Amino acid sequence: MAEKRVYFFGKGKAEGKAEMKHLLGGKGANLAEMTNLGVPVPPGFTIATSVCQEYESNKGKWPAGLNKEVDENIAKLEKAMGQKFGDNKNPLLVSVRSGAAVSMPGMMDTVLNLGLNDKAVEGLIEKTGNPKFVYDIYRRFIDMFADVVMGCSHSNFEKAIHAAKEKAGVENDNQLSAEQLQDVVEKYKAIYKKHVGSAFPQDPKKQLVNAVNAVFGSWESERAIKYRKLNKIESLLGTAVNVQAMAFGNMGEDSGTGVCFTRNPSTGKKEFYGEYLINAQGEDVVAGIRTPQPLKSLNKAMPNLYKELTALMTKLEKHYKDMQDIEFTIQEGELFVLQTRNGKRTAAAAIKIAVDMLKERLINNREAVHRVTANQLDTLLHPSFDTNAKRDVVAKGLPASPGAAVGQVVFDAEAAEKWEAQGKKTVLVRTETSPEDIGGMAAAEGILTVRGGMTSHAAVVARGMGKCCVAGCSDISINEKTKKFSVAGKTFKEGDWVSLDGSNGQLMAGAVPTVEPKMSGDFRKFMTICDKVRKIKVRTNADTPEDAEKAVGFGAEGIGLCRTEHMFFEGKRVWYVRQAILEADNYAEMKKEMEEAETKTEQQKIKSKYSETKKNFESALRRLASYQKKDFEGIFKAMAGKPVTVRLLDPPLHEFLPHDKATQSEMAKRLGVSLKKVKEQVEKLNEFNPMLGHRGCRLAVTYPEFYRMQAKAIIEAAIAASTPKKKVVPEIMIPLVGHVEELKIVKEEIVDEIKQVLKSHDTKLTYKIGTMIEVPRAALTADEIAAEADFFSFGTNDLTQMALGFSRDDVAKFTAKYIEYGIYKDDPFQVLDQSGVGKLIETGVKLGREQKKTLKVGICGEHGGEPNTIEFCADQGMNYVSCSPYRVPIARLSAAQAASK
Amino acid sequence: MAEKRVYFFGKGKAEGKAEMKHLLGGKGANLAEMTNLGVPVPPGFTIATSVCQEYESNKGKWPAGLNKEVDENIAKLEKAMGQKFGDNKNPLLVSVRSGAAVSMPGMMDTVLNLGLNDKAVEGLIEKTGNPKFVYDIYRRFIDMFADVVMGCSHSNFEKAIHAAKEKAGVENDNQLSAEQLQDVVEKYKAIYKKHVGSAFPQDPKKQLVNAVNAVFGSWESERAIKYRKLNKIESLLGTAVNVQAMAFGNMGEDSGTGVCFTRNPSTGKKEFYGEYLINAQGEDVVAGIRTPQPLKSLNKAMPNLYKELTALMTKLEKHYKDMQDIEFTIQEGELFVLQTRNGKRTAAAAIKIAVDMLKERLINNREAVHRVTANQLDTLLHPSFDTNAKRDVVAKGLPASPGAAVGQVVFDAEAAEKWEAQGKKTVLVRTETSPEDIGGMAAAEGILTVRGGMTSHAAVVARGMGKCCVAGCSDISINEKTKKFSVAGKTFKEGDWVSLDGSNGQLMAGAVPTVEPKMSGDFRKFMTICDKVRKIKVRTNADTPEDAEKAVGFGAEGIGLCRTEHMFFEGKRVWYVRQAILEADNYAEMKKEMEEAETKTEQQKIKSKYSETKKNFESALRRLASYQKKDFEGIFKAMAGKPVTVRLLDPPLHEFLPHDKATQSEMAKRLGVSLKKVKEQVEKLNEFNPMLGHRGCRLAVTYPEFYRMQAKAIIEAAIAASTPKKKVVPEIMIPLVGHVEELKIVKEEIVDEIKQVLKSHDTKLTYKIGTMIEVPRAALTADEIAAEADFFSFGTNDLTQMALGFSRDDVAKFTAKYIEYGIYKDDPFQVLDQSGVGKLIETGVKLGREQKKTLKVGICGEHGGEPNTIEFCADQGMNYVSCSPYRVPIARLSAAQAASK
């Protein structure tokens, strides 16, 4: 039997079902599901996504057999509706819509009122007695068909309707009379013929075939590809095509169309929410051309219908166990549901809905954590406007997507993308947005539109992106040519700073200061749910007591990476660092000479010079140690007994030396050496590939004194910060180990120092010594290394650099092309390269745990806050991930999602 | 039963045997073996190597039970010899010698004539009636015991014997009378007491215990550790101690001592070879203090004894199946063999002996290939003096170890090591060498000694190292203080250039020019044996037709790595390279602008600029292509159909740009651009870590034109170089692949170019496209990459850099310490780090072959000529190794050794 390609739905029964989403697309599966549920869905049929793929590989031809199946379904549909395609009594009109397995709002082309032709127009007039409506939908259909299916731009028709309105002396389309519209139809046909090169097709089947092909073709359109890429949507077969009998919302004052949500998508509040337009088709709402009315006013206008709709909303939410986004049409007082889907929502709404639905027992913990995305959470962790700051509000629009956006004005998507690449923050200002603007919307800090409502393209997409958006700000007028907009007597040009408040719709002049985000009660509740579900711990990367405190506030369970070198640069201490570096070499040389001196006399000769060098070196180190001790003490106290992993000095020493002449001179003066000496030292420490040079534990092999100093500071700080109840157990981490012998040698020095410190303090202290796994060789020989280490921490930044041979400072020259060509799907420094670097981690964890079952393993590279990486780390059985303070909540969420997948 | 620690041998029967080498040491096992063979070995006993370890871990104390076992064996020895320790009638005298499982000539301390005391002296005089001999060995014993066992330097005694000789008016020690020597003994005892702090011990057992401990202690002496490190000797338990009854070579004119070889260790000729001294003890020969007589003269002096000795030599060589180095002593006309071992030999001798013994059917092919070391072969591949060069011969010594050394004079080992570290070539000039000089000898190009014969320390060690040595060059006189030596009226100071010919013993003033080595007939025969035994192929790294021809002469079976960038620097072409680099960026920008131009008008506007850039870029590339074509053609012809792997452009582009102002100005002038533009380009291409930057295939992703140009040149050269009988099958190698997608994209470009070339030439050609595996990620994902590659070539230089995180240009700052501390045993850029980098190779080969069974796999890093690495590659089942032309024979040998291990 041949494969089934077309699935019928209607009259309470559908051939498809919800589980067939991959084949029927989200919309098709939903229509089937709703039909089966008894929801009043206009009947129709779905051409499967697999056909899109066949069409592609067939080079734009229909596979054999499809035509027959389509014809059979048209017949079925005609029967169900009691109508006929192109009939001059009761013609069948259909909508043709795309619908892939993953929702892509606005990305796919849609054709409405298909089936209209000169004969059907007659039939429809006869049936409805409403020639104005019929000519109106006919002219709309010609326009849309030309634009979407034949590639003849909508703007070609704009002039004609504009002229007609001018001639009639009216402002809105719906003020035109039937005759005037009939005239417009004729003009449209002429325009069509002129631009397309052939007459407007009168055969409804031919219209359908062309429309179906247009849907298929749009799957490979640039904007669709871009959207999939931006949203990392892959492995789909293609889009399905939904052909469905039309329901008319524009058949008069007892008709209408709308969009509704079962809960408020902006706040998450449990309320019926939405908007509708009387006497309009669906795209009028979505495109934001007319500003619609709020849903609750429908209760007054059509109370019965409102009751029916809200009952359906409740039914659908309960069925789908998630907030629903429902499109409906009222045709002459009769309700039709066109589609329902899980509604997009703001981050705050997502959290409230998850927490509420859990309370309502609609979902459980494991489901709840999947109701908020990491990106959504991220927006909540971004700053909002300082309430004390002065706001120069120049206009107000709809609060379409919350957030605080501060940026420079740009007027097109391209500029937004270009400026972002240059590191500039922008606010994208548009009359209305279209799918072509997706890239620019992603690049901008916020979006401001003149037209469109809360469910306009701009609003929906911005909410999906977690991006601030103010829509329908009709007070402003844009001049795209001069790249200016004016409002309230003020003019803003490209590059001017503005601020947008997505929570109240305000547009402000200038850059308004922002403040740190505050966590709402629901946020805390939601995070607690995440903590219940997740298995892997979340630590933070923090180098100061302030960061440590902030991270604890965000729920960090310890510090996974405390970098000590940042402390080296603070204030005066950099001079001691520089002195120590100068003396380190002198001392190393003198030490060697002393060791090699064969007789006591020889030793005596150099002894005074040796002692002086030693004294200088040690005194510089001692000063650093006292600074470091204070730093560590502050951090230990902030963490109050939570584990703290301190990484010993990592960067090459030349990073601490000045490279400009002025500072070199200052250094010479301060340290009492010649400028020549300073320059020589800078020159001597210079490296061709500092990334692979004399750094990390390699420094400690040649100059053990630095690590000894740090170990001393850590232990003394731990002693000072310990209380009888909360003992500090410092975790000392040795970076850049590639060979177990390095670790052994360095560890021996540190342990020796620690013993001395504990002895001199006459006390005991538990401490751990572990290592970063960031050199590929370390991962490959992790069994040997684990024998000497209390813990492993994967340093995925360096591990990525070495495993891929990518210098993070240099790859910008080619990574754009690499991602464009899809060599790497994501920047491997942002999203862990699981198939390459991941293998090293896998090997490292496996070998390490084989050697030492209790080995504590974590990750402290910047990937530690990236959701996919967190899932990977959890799968590897790591004990914790560590990330920047702001990413801690995201890590907690991602860990929970990973644990409940 | 307690572990046996002491093993007796004597009277034709031994408790040990040859197989117990690990426990008895080489010498002990040999003594047991010889005893069992019926060789006249003085009886004695061996304290096992394991005891040395017990002694070490016991902190210098004898393990319980050892004392008893030693006493029992002394009793046994006394019984066998009919003598008694310290007896005043017939005292037992013994030698105490070290002997580890691996031969370490001169490294361990030896004590002779132990057992002598005031009473034994009386007994020995009574027994021998030779007081002069007895007092002589007594004073020698005191000296040696003090020096070796008690750490009281030999030089303390030198003055006393010197004074005695002066007082007696004689020149040599043996001219002193018994009374004078008796007087010397008393003086020596006084010196001993003064320096050691106690009287010379009279108890033979106490002497023995101290001597045994000194041997054990010497195992951990600095020089012993250094030797083991230099020779990579590990995992030994320690040294055994051989206590053996003395045989006296200094009992008069019918006594003597000597060293003999069963074949000539210098030439390999099958002849009895050696030297001896009449009336002397063994150390006189080895230390080179007196210059000995050739062995054949013994045939005249003592014909029967010569006959007995040569018969024994024949027997021993047949037994051990290798050339033997035998120490013997004649005591009053009776022959004693003190030891036999496989003799050290020159490289030429090693080859001749292997080839001869194979011919004699003493050994087979698989054994023969192990009779020559890679280092020995290496010496044969080094240059010798140009026979046409003028030689300013200033002196002649013994041709102790062949070779041609040209270097600057240094007078101590330390200087030799220091100068070598600075890249200088030295000739080490010493009165005589001692074990402390090992490091300096290894560092010097050649060694010149004033005293000592063909078996002196300098000669033996130099031959072992394959280092040129001229010994016993007594014409020269050294002033170590002023660091000068004079000869024939000339004075040479430190730093002066001299040349040494180790084949004829000539010392020449100045740096004499050298010529390339020529392969002897035996060399060729030996290499043929290697080729029969080995399994892995040997290719070469060659960038020019000359190198290619040389390598084929050395037996290369193809080119494994032809680097194209070296060609870029030659002559004028570097200017075209620079032009291409300048234009590449211009072109890429214009191309992008053209692509992004939305209308034809916009395109028209920039078209002329675009065309010009394109023309400039392409013309520079075309010129390069024509040069490259010629290069490749030459190489293909030189290889006459043997496989040639050409690596496409690898280094970052900035390597081709000038960094000094003068050349930058020249570049600006030549290319008709501003200096500013040149500087900007240099700045733009500058990288922080060029090793991990924009290079290799990454260049081809952004600028595909370079690789297309190279592919075109390769294919056109292959067409031109192919003959009807020998088709060239070029192997195009893409460097720095880390992700299969890179390979796919770059390969597609190349294949497209090749198709065009073949089409325009209307011909067909087989070619292969493969990749370097040099990025860790490539090894980890080798299965994916293999799907796209015809071959893999492991680039172990970069793989080592990335796997270890070592920048080869920067690690010098710490690698010395790393090797000193034993973190890495060898420089990982010389000897492949098998336990780290090796794992990546293992994974790469395994995954690659799993994906593609027929995948050709080789190695082309510099490790490809290193013996251990070759064995590793063979074990991994690689198809070939590739190395520099001079290393090709070594690779053939190492491959054979690997195949027959």
Side-chain angles (χ1 to χ4, degrees), chain B residues 723-738:
Chain B
T723 62
K725 286 198 173 167
K726 296 214 164 163
K727 297 273 179 208
V728 176
V729 180
E731 300 175 349
I732 297 174
M733 182 155 72
I734 298 166
L736 215 69
V737 166

Side-chain angles (χ1 to χ4, degrees), chain A residues 291-312:
Chain A
T291 301
Q293 293 175 268
L295 185 68
K296 54 190 171 193
S297 67
L298 186 64
N299 199 8
K300 277 184 198 157
M302 307 176 182
N304 282 344
L305 210 139
Y306 182 75
K307 211 172 150 191
E308 186 188 350
L309 177 62
T310 50
L312 262 174

